[in-house]
Amino acid sequence: MASSVGFAHPTSSLIINKKDKSLSVVPSTSQLSIYKCKKPISNNISMAMATRQSERKPATTGSMKSPMTMTEKILAKGAEKAEVKAGDNVWVNVDVFMTNDISGPGSIGIFRKEFGENAKANPDYKGVCHIALAQEGHCRPGEILLGTDSHTCTAGAFGQFATGIGNTEAGFVLGTGALLLKVPQTLRFVMDGEMPDYLLAKDLILQIIGEISVAGATYKSMEFVGTTIESLNMEERMTLCNMVIEAGGKNGVVAADSTTFKYLEDKTSVLYEPVYSDALASFHSEFRFDISKLEPLVAKPHSPDNRALARDCKHIKIDRVYIGSCTGGKTQDFLAAAKLFLASGKKVKVPTFLVPATQKVWVDIYTLIVPGSGGKTCSQIFEEAGCDTPASPSCAACMGGPKDTYARMNEAQVCVSTTNRNFPGRMGHKEGQIYLASPYTAAASALTGYITDPREFLH
């Protein structure tokens, strides 16, 4: 097992950290009940009773009775047990809790370790919670993160157990710092082969969901391994884990490695301990993919598992393109779109809406230089291509919302979107047609006005 590592903790007041000595900590019952007797013990017994002793916690290290998956190990650690197995119901201590219902969609309240009367809410608007959590250093290997949104599973990219819960469960977590969870079975997805330069993680997860269906991973953990996964940057891994809920998954997880540790270097000083699946761990099923042979994909209306090749949909005329959300509104997503626009040298033929996920992503759009652009930023390339000006960070049209929501579909239009769901009415109008796609495919489609394979511009 890897040794604990820790990095610089943000100075934000958002965190309530048990390990931070500067904050007051309410002692546990066991701490309050430990005393030492200073008087000599008498041999005369006047009354006999069981003495109250501190709780003896089972060991979580050393040899194991049976091999475990990564998810099982994290839940065993949270439950303070030597081991757990799929199907067990266990009380787990929650490391990080997130609620996005504090002050509007996308805003976040983060609570760490200390709950109850010591809980504090984040007063600052950061943007879409699932991306802000990572940027603020709250996604750490080996921990348990729960949140009041289904796409909390995004944080599994860090080797963390992360899943969404309801408001009743959230109240229990806030009051006790723990929750009863059923240990899920694990599906293993082995993705090998060199990833073609015209594919992104969105294509990978659309391939998986198309293969197993939107119910194929119901209440199961989805573990992603293989040489292709190891080559992905952190934001691409986040895209992969973000959409496990669209397959019914309880959580998605990627093993922490040097890419993970480097990302976290300047984001947290909290010690963490990565865990990894044992070689002989038992998996419910295993799926293997040769990614070198995969082509750009879309999910046609009205389901994320309605998979199709982008090149087979070139006859479908579109009305708009939307690049944003917790799935496709990260810095790397906008860099990918800018790269394709730059390669084409053309202007978009349909309205193209850009919605960064967080404040940091918005700043990156205006400051990061796109490789090979001669010093241009994403914002400059987007302006030259005729896109709408990047909006303020939010969920925006991904969740539909009121009619005045930015980029909402108020008419029965056809949209290519980097979001995660294409159910009827998801982005507004109930007769709207939503095609889910990668930022590459979305940008290529914006340039032609039809669903377009990005290879037409990248090669």
mmCIF file with all atom_site columns, all heavy atoms in Angstrom, residues 3-14:
data_model
loop_
_atom_site.group_PDB
_atom_site.id
_atom_site.type_symbol
_atom_site.label_atom_id
_atom_site.label_alt_id
_atom_site.label_comp_id
_atom_site.label_asym_id
_atom_site.label_entity_id
_atom_site.label_seq_id
_atom_site.pdbx_PDB_ins_code
_atom_site.Cartn_x
_atom_site.Cartn_y
_atom_site.Cartn_z
_atom_site.occupancy
_atom_site.B_iso_or_equiv
_atom_site.pdbx_formal_charge
_atom_site.auth_seq_id
_atom_site.auth_comp_id
_atom_site.auth_asym_id
_atom_site.auth_atom_id
_atom_site.pdbx_PDB_model_num
ATOM 1  N N   . SER A 1 3  ? 2.445   4.915  0.645  1.00 0.00 ? 3  SER A N   1
ATOM 2  C CA  . SER A 1 3  ? 2.512   5.723  1.857  1.00 0.00 ? 3  SER A CA  1
ATOM 3  C C   . SER A 1 3  ? 1.711   6.990  1.700  1.00 0.00 ? 3  SER A C   1
ATOM 4  O O   . SER A 1 3  ? 1.424   7.426  0.591  1.00 0.00 ? 3  SER A O   1
ATOM 5  C CB  . SER A 1 3  ? 3.977   6.074  2.160  1.00 0.00 ? 3  SER A CB  1
ATOM 6  O OG  . SER A 1 3  ? 4.531   6.794  1.074  1.00 0.00 ? 3  SER A OG  1
ATOM 7  N N   . SER A 1 4  ? 1.358   7.623  2.816  1.00 0.00 ? 4  SER A N   1
ATOM 8  C CA  . SER A 1 4  ? 0.546   8.826  2.771  1.00 0.00 ? 4  SER A CA  1
ATOM 9  C C   . SER A 1 4  ? 1.346   9.975  2.198  1.00 0.00 ? 4  SER A C   1
ATOM 10 O O   . SER A 1 4  ? 2.537   10.127 2.440  1.00 0.00 ? 4  SER A O   1
ATOM 11 C CB  . SER A 1 4  ? 0.081   9.185  4.188  1.00 0.00 ? 4  SER A CB  1
ATOM 12 O OG  . SER A 1 4  ? -0.739  8.178  4.688  1.00 0.00 ? 4  SER A OG  1
ATOM 13 N N   . VAL A 1 5  ? 0.664   10.780 1.417  1.00 0.00 ? 5  VAL A N   1
ATOM 14 C CA  . VAL A 1 5  ? 1.295   11.971 0.864  1.00 0.00 ? 5  VAL A CA  1
ATOM 15 C C   . VAL A 1 5  ? 0.371   13.143 1.079  1.00 0.00 ? 5  VAL A C   1
ATOM 16 O O   . VAL A 1 5  ? -0.836  13.001 1.140  1.00 0.00 ? 5  VAL A O   1
ATOM 17 C CB  . VAL A 1 5  ? 1.575   11.797 -0.654 1.00 0.00 ? 5  VAL A CB  1
ATOM 18 C CG1 . VAL A 1 5  ? 2.761   10.908 -0.885 1.00 0.00 ? 5  VAL A CG1 1
ATOM 19 C CG2 . VAL A 1 5  ? 0.353   11.281 -1.360 1.00 0.00 ? 5  VAL A CG2 1
ATOM 20 N N   . GLY A 1 6  ? 0.923   14.324 1.180  1.00 0.00 ? 6  GLY A N   1
ATOM 21 C CA  . GLY A 1 6  ? 0.089   15.488 1.413  1.00 0.00 ? 6  GLY A CA  1
ATOM 22 C C   . GLY A 1 6  ? 0.696   16.715 0.778  1.00 0.00 ? 6  GLY A C   1
ATOM 23 O O   . GLY A 1 6  ? 1.902   16.796 0.593  1.00 0.00 ? 6  GLY A O   1
ATOM 24 N N   . PHE A 1 7  ? -0.152  17.695 0.460  1.00 0.00 ? 7  PHE A N   1
ATOM 25 C CA  . PHE A 1 7  ? 0.330   18.871 -0.251 1.00 0.00 ? 7  PHE A CA  1
ATOM 26 C C   . PHE A 1 7  ? -0.325  20.132 0.304  1.00 0.00 ? 7  PHE A C   1
ATOM 27 O O   . PHE A 1 7  ? -1.070  20.092 1.265  1.00 0.00 ? 7  PHE A O   1
ATOM 28 C CB  . PHE A 1 7  ? 0.060   18.714 -1.755 1.00 0.00 ? 7  PHE A CB  1
ATOM 29 C CG  . PHE A 1 7  ? 0.589   17.424 -2.287 1.00 0.00 ? 7  PHE A CG  1
ATOM 30 C CD1 . PHE A 1 7  ? -0.229  16.308 -2.368 1.00 0.00 ? 7  PHE A CD1 1
ATOM 31 C CD2 . PHE A 1 7  ? 1.907   17.306 -2.658 1.00 0.00 ? 7  PHE A CD2 1
ATOM 32 C CE1 . PHE A 1 7  ? 0.262   15.114 -2.834 1.00 0.00 ? 7  PHE A CE1 1
ATOM 33 C CE2 . PHE A 1 7  ? 2.402   16.107 -3.138 1.00 0.00 ? 7  PHE A CE2 1
ATOM 34 C CZ  . PHE A 1 7  ? 1.583   15.018 -3.222 1.00 0.00 ? 7  PHE A CZ  1
ATOM 35 N N   . ALA A 1 8  ? -0.055  21.265 -0.316 1.00 0.00 ? 8  ALA A N   1
ATOM 36 C CA  . ALA A 1 8  ? -0.492  22.557 0.219  1.00 0.00 ? 8  ALA A CA  1
ATOM 37 C C   . ALA A 1 8  ? -1.994  22.689 0.278  1.00 0.00 ? 8  ALA A C   1
ATOM 38 O O   . ALA A 1 8  ? -2.686  22.475 -0.693 1.00 0.00 ? 8  ALA A O   1
ATOM 39 C CB  . ALA A 1 8  ? 0.091   23.657 -0.644 1.00 0.00 ? 8  ALA A CB  1
ATOM 40 N N   . HIS A 1 9  ? -2.489  23.037 1.455  1.00 0.00 ? 9  HIS A N   1
ATOM 41 C CA  . HIS A 1 9  ? -3.925  23.192 1.706  1.00 0.00 ? 9  HIS A CA  1
ATOM 42 C C   . HIS A 1 9  ? -4.357  24.598 1.336  1.00 0.00 ? 9  HIS A C   1
ATOM 43 O O   . HIS A 1 9  ? -3.728  25.554 1.733  1.00 0.00 ? 9  HIS A O   1
ATOM 44 C CB  . HIS A 1 9  ? -4.152  22.945 3.196  1.00 0.00 ? 9  HIS A CB  1
ATOM 45 C CG  . HIS A 1 9  ? -5.611  22.955 3.587  1.00 0.00 ? 9  HIS A CG  1
ATOM 46 N ND1 . HIS A 1 9  ? -6.612  23.215 2.715  1.00 0.00 ? 9  HIS A ND1 1
ATOM 47 C CD2 . HIS A 1 9  ? -6.202  22.714 4.785  1.00 0.00 ? 9  HIS A CD2 1
ATOM 48 C CE1 . HIS A 1 9  ? -7.779  23.152 3.341  1.00 0.00 ? 9  HIS A CE1 1
ATOM 49 N NE2 . HIS A 1 9  ? -7.539  22.857 4.599  1.00 0.00 ? 9  HIS A NE2 1
ATOM 50 N N   . PRO A 1 10 ? -5.411  24.793 0.572  1.00 0.00 ? 10 PRO A N   1
ATOM 51 C CA  . PRO A 1 10 ? -5.892  26.133 0.274  1.00 0.00 ? 10 PRO A CA  1
ATOM 52 C C   . PRO A 1 10 ? -6.232  26.870 1.555  1.00 0.00 ? 10 PRO A C   1
ATOM 53 O O   . PRO A 1 10 ? -6.680  26.289 2.521  1.00 0.00 ? 10 PRO A O   1
ATOM 54 C CB  . PRO A 1 10 ? -7.154  25.898 -0.565 1.00 0.00 ? 10 PRO A CB  1
ATOM 55 C CG  . PRO A 1 10 ? -7.321  24.458 -0.708 1.00 0.00 ? 10 PRO A CG  1
ATOM 56 C CD  . PRO A 1 10 ? -6.222  23.753 0.004  1.00 0.00 ? 10 PRO A CD  1
ATOM 57 N N   . THR A 1 11 ? -6.009  28.170 1.556  1.00 0.00 ? 11 THR A N   1
ATOM 58 C CA  . THR A 1 11 ? -6.254  28.962 2.756  1.00 0.00 ? 11 THR A CA  1
ATOM 59 C C   . THR A 1 11 ? -7.704  29.336 2.901  1.00 0.00 ? 11 THR A C   1
ATOM 60 O O   . THR A 1 11 ? -8.072  30.128 3.748  1.00 0.00 ? 11 THR A O   1
ATOM 61 C CB  . THR A 1 11 ? -5.410  30.245 2.703  1.00 0.00 ? 11 THR A CB  1
ATOM 62 O OG1 . THR A 1 11 ? -5.735  30.953 1.501  1.00 0.00 ? 11 THR A OG1 1
ATOM 63 C CG2 . THR A 1 11 ? -3.920  29.915 2.728  1.00 0.00 ? 11 THR A CG2 1
ATOM 64 N N   . SER A 1 12 ? -8.555  28.774 2.051  1.00 0.00 ? 12 SER A N   1
ATOM 65 C CA  . SER A 1 12 ? -9.982  29.072 2.081  1.00 0.00 ? 12 SER A CA  1
ATOM 66 C C   . SER A 1 12 ? -10.617 28.646 3.395  1.00 0.00 ? 12 SER A C   1
ATOM 67 O O   . SER A 1 12 ? -10.215 27.691 4.030  1.00 0.00 ? 12 SER A O   1
ATOM 68 C CB  . SER A 1 12 ? -10.662 28.354 0.918  1.00 0.00 ? 12 SER A CB  1
ATOM 69 O OG  . SER A 1 12 ? -12.039 28.386 1.063  1.00 0.00 ? 12 SER A OG  1
ATOM 70 N N   . SER A 1 13 ? -11.642 29.370 3.797  1.00 0.00 ? 13 SER A N   1
ATOM 71 C CA  . SER A 1 13 ? -12.365 29.031 5.025  1.00 0.00 ? 13 SER A CA  1
ATOM 72 C C   . SER A 1 13 ? -13.479 28.034 4.755  1.00 0.00 ? 13 SER A C   1
ATOM 73 O O   . SER A 1 13 ? -14.301 27.774 5.599  1.00 0.00 ? 13 SER A O   1
ATOM 74 C CB  . SER A 1 13 ? -12.967 30.298 5.638  1.00 0.00 ? 13 SER A CB  1
ATOM 75 O OG  . SER A 1 13 ? -13.890 30.874 4.741  1.00 0.00 ? 13 SER A OG  1
ATOM 76 N N   . LEU A 1 14 ? -13.485 27.457 3.552  1.00 0.00 ? 14 LEU A N   1
ATOM 77 C CA  . LEU A 1 14 ? -14.549 26.538 3.189  1.00 0.00 ? 14 LEU A CA  1
ATOM 78 C C   . LEU A 1 14 ? -14.435 25.202 3.912  1.00 0.00 ? 14 LEU A C   1
ATOM 79 O O   . LEU A 1 14 ? -15.395 24.492 4.049  1.00 0.00 ? 14 LEU A O   1
ATOM 80 C CB  . LEU A 1 14 ? -14.523 26.247 1.679  1.00 0.00 ? 14 LEU A CB  1
ATOM 81 C CG  . LEU A 1 14 ? -14.374 27.423 0.753  1.00 0.00 ? 14 LEU A CG  1
ATOM 82 C CD1 . LEU A 1 14 ? -14.417 26.946 -0.679 1.00 0.00 ? 14 LEU A CD1 1
ATOM 83 C CD2 . LEU A 1 14 ? -15.466 28.434 1.013  1.00 0.00 ? 14 LEU A CD2 1
#
